[in-house]
Amino acid sequence: NPITGIICENYNRRPIAVIMANDPAARPLSGISSADLIIEMPVVTGSITRIAAFFTCVSPSEIGSLRSARHDFIPLAMGFDAIFVHWGGSHFASDKLDKGIMDNINALYNPFGIFYRKSGLPAPHNGFTSYDRLWLTSQKLCYRDKSKFDGYLFTSYDKCNACQNGRLMIDYSVPYDVYYDYNAVKNSYSRFRAGYPEIDKLNNAQVETKNIVIMRAASRPIDDQYNDVDVEGGGKAIVYKNGIEISGSWKKDKENTASKLYFFDDKGAEIKFTPGKIIIEIVEPYQKISWAK
């Protein structure tokens, strides 16, 4: 798999990027622990966050709750050659998607009846689907199935006897605040939301990842209720893997919306990830991030 460096049956399929909620009313989410990649960022400056969960290797029987698209997620999803899945969107996003900027599946139109509302959850947090439904629909819509994403670089991991447990804290506003606990024995970062483990409702597993990227990008409110985030161009970044912190930068070509999102160390070399899942946290340039052992 070019995103995770892990061998799997569907490694060369295009990823399916699903916009999912972070709101307390939507928790716990279904299918989130199966994502190969998660990108999280504010959709309201200094407040609400939302995620794009990318699925390739594992096909969860339920994914949700789904939420509406924001235009900032579009170039990021395009950079991974993903099929974009959303339940409506801001007019900034819808204007681009309705013009065919990228392959997408909109639950508002509900092609082939693949999306559904679950009882017991308040709207709009009750929209769900499954990976198999999404993949079958992408085939019916004649979307290309093979990925063109160039992929990231990966390096093998040798057990680090000197590594220590640690905690990475990300200062999103409450109740969207996030932290990760690093377990040196497992070489894995476990995700917590608002002080509680981020649990996948589908399998009762806590969300874990091998790599975390802090991607600093400025944002500003637009049109009273939406956000505009500088996800193209470049800026500072910090990568956490194997219990260590690597300062560097990120880059995405402004002239090519489908360009790859790169991460470099301070010497300008492209960072090699540990094989496994990646979570990208997009934060303000001034936002507080702390890593302590």
Side-chain angles (χ1 to χ4, degrees), residues 160 163 182 189 238-246 291 293:
C160 176
C163 288
Y182 175 70
Y189 298 83
I238 309 172
V239 173
Y240 295 87
K241 63 168 193 165
N242 305 342
I244 61 173
E245 182 181 61
I246 304 171
W291 166 247
K293 295 183 178 180

Side-chain angles (χ1 to χ4, degrees), residues 7-40:
I7 295 172
C8 71
E9 183 179 358
N10 301 321
Y11 74 95
N12 60 347
R13 275 188 180 180
R14 293 178 70 187
I16 295 179
V18 183
I19 300 299
M20 300 177 70
N22 273 334
D23 308 78
R27 304 171 195 167
L29 300 175
S30 294
I32 186 174
S33 67
S34 297
D36 297 302
L37 167 73
I38 292 172
I39 301 177
E40 180 171 33

Side-chain angles (χ1 to χ4, degrees), residues 24-277:
R27 304 171 195 167
L29 300 175
S30 294
I32 186 174
S33 67
S34 297
D36 297 302
L37 167 73
I38 292 172
I39 301 177
E40 180 171 33
M41 68 175 163
V43 293
V44 176
T45 300
S47 181
I48 299 169
T49 63
R50 198 161 287 179
I51 67 174
F54 293 68
F55 299 91
T56 303
C57 280
V58 182
S59 46
S61 59
E62 186 171 81
I63 300 174
S65 72
L66 276 66
R67 289 306 307 271
S68 57
R70 296 294 182 266
H71 68 282
D72 306 305
F73 281 112
I74 293 173
L76 296 172
M78 290 180 67
F80 290 94
D81 191 31
I83 298 167
F84 193 63
V85 177
H86 54 106
W87 203 299
S90 69
H91 65 86
F92 298 102
S94 296
D95 288 348
K96 294 176 179 291
L97 295 169
D98 289 346
K99 291 178 181 177
I101 191 172
M102 68 179 303
D103 292 341
N104 74 100
I105 306 174
N106 188 346
L108 280 184
Y109 306 142
N110 202 6
F112 308 105
I114 64 169
F115 300 95
Y116 55 93
R117 297 283 189 184
K118 286 185 68 175
S119 61
L121 288 172
H125 306 293
N126 57 351
F128 288 80
T129 186
S130 71
Y131 178 88
D132 288 345
R133 289 171 181 236
L134 293 173
W135 186 253
L136 180 60
T137 297
S138 74
Q139 300 302 287
K140 290 180 178 179
L141 294 172
C142 297
Y143 290 161
R144 173 173 43 82
D145 60 352
K146 301 297 183 184
S147 175
K148 293 184 178 180
F149 177 55
D150 289 340
Y152 285 124
L153 303 179
F154 297 93
T155 184
S156 60
Y157 171 72
D158 295 324
K159 181 175 174 56
C160 176
N161 293 322
C163 288
Q164 302 176 16
N165 295 343
R167 176 169 290 182
L168 172 64
M169 301 191 70
I170 302 169
D171 191 28
Y172 290 130
S173 64
V174 177
Y176 301 94
D177 50 314
V178 172
Y179 71 82
Y180 295 87
D181 276 350
Y182 175 70
N183 185 310
V185 174
K186 295 171 62 179
N187 188 33
S188 182
Y189 298 83
S190 298
R191 178 178 167 92
F192 293 77
R193 163 83 60 195
Y196 296 94
E198 182 94 66
I199 299 297
D200 188 330
K201 187 176 182 179
L202 195 59
N203 56 15
N204 206 36
Q206 186 172 5
V207 176
E208 296 186 37
T209 186
K210 293 294 186 182
N211 309 274
I212 303 169
V213 179
I214 302 297
M215 177 175 157
R216 294 197 176 273
S219 72
R220 64 212 57 85
I222 53 173
D223 200 25
D224 296 329
Q225 57 181 324
Y226 298 121
N227 208 29
D228 185 44
V229 188
D230 296 331
V231 296
E232 294 175 279
K236 293 183 178 180
I238 309 172
V239 173
Y240 295 87
K241 63 168 193 165
N242 305 342
I244 61 173
E245 182 181 61
I246 304 171
S247 295
S249 61
W250 65 270
K251 182 179 179 182
K252 182 171 170 60
D253 188 354
K254 281 186 175 182
E255 305 304 317
N256 179 9
T257 306
S259 62
K260 176 181 170 181
L261 177 62
Y262 284 94
F263 300 102
F264 302 99
D265 62 23
D266 282 336
K267 295 181 180 180
E270 186 175 355
I271 287 175
K272 295 181 179 180
F273 290 104
T274 297
K277 298 176 182 180

